[in-house]
Every structure is written in C-alpha cells, then in structure tokens.
Amino acid sequence: FRQSDAMVDQLERAEVAEEKRAVFRALTRLRGAAITSFDGIARSQTGNIDEYARKAQWRKQHPIHHLAQEESDTERWAFPDSTDF
C-alpha cells in the first residue's frame, strides 16, 4: 500500500505542478494583454496632450503684465494733479 500511496502522491504533485504552470502561463498572457492595452491608452493620452499643447499656448492666452510697464508713468501715479500739499 505504501508504494501505491507514494505513486498516487507523486501523480498528485505532478498534477499540481502542471496546474501551477498553466495558471502562470494564463496570468502571464493576461498581464501582457493588460500592459498592451494600457500602453495604447497611454499613447493616446500623450497624443491628446501634445495636440492640445500645439493648439493652446498658455502664455498667449494669459499674457504677463509687468509691473514696471504698468507703472512706468510715474508722473501720473507718483505726482497726481489733485494733491493737497
């Protein structure tokens, strides 16, 4: 009986090992498919960002107002006509 039990145990271990390999292969394929899908989405999103960056230039839509240019007329703001000295 011990020899039969040992043979059955060995067969069960072989089946478990094959099941583990099959699951690993399936998960590896699934991971590959998920990565490929994610890469496609990432490329599409990057393309959308590049297209937006070409069309909408933030600095043109939001110009810089330099304080020196806005306040360059010192006669107007530093010495106004309506002062009471």
Side-chain angles (χ1 to χ4, degrees), residues 45-65:
Q45 187 65 19
T46 303
N48 292 342
I49 292 169
D50 289 341
E51 182 180 345
Y52 176 81
R54 278 193 300 274
K55 289 180 180 178
Q57 296 182 353
W58 196 87
R59 184 49 56 208
K60 287 183 181 178
Q61 294 172 355
H62 303 88
I64 296 175
H65 299 289

Side-chain angles (χ1 to χ4, degrees), residues 54-84:
R54 278 193 300 274
K55 289 180 180 178
Q57 296 182 353
W58 196 87
R59 184 49 56 208
K60 287 183 181 178
Q61 294 172 355
H62 303 88
I64 296 175
H65 299 289
H66 293 285
L67 188 60
Q69 292 172 343
E70 290 180 359
E71 296 185 357
S72 62
D73 187 10
T74 55
E75 293 297 323
R76 193 183 93 220
W77 64 266
F79 307 104
D81 292 335
S82 63
T83 56
D84 291 332

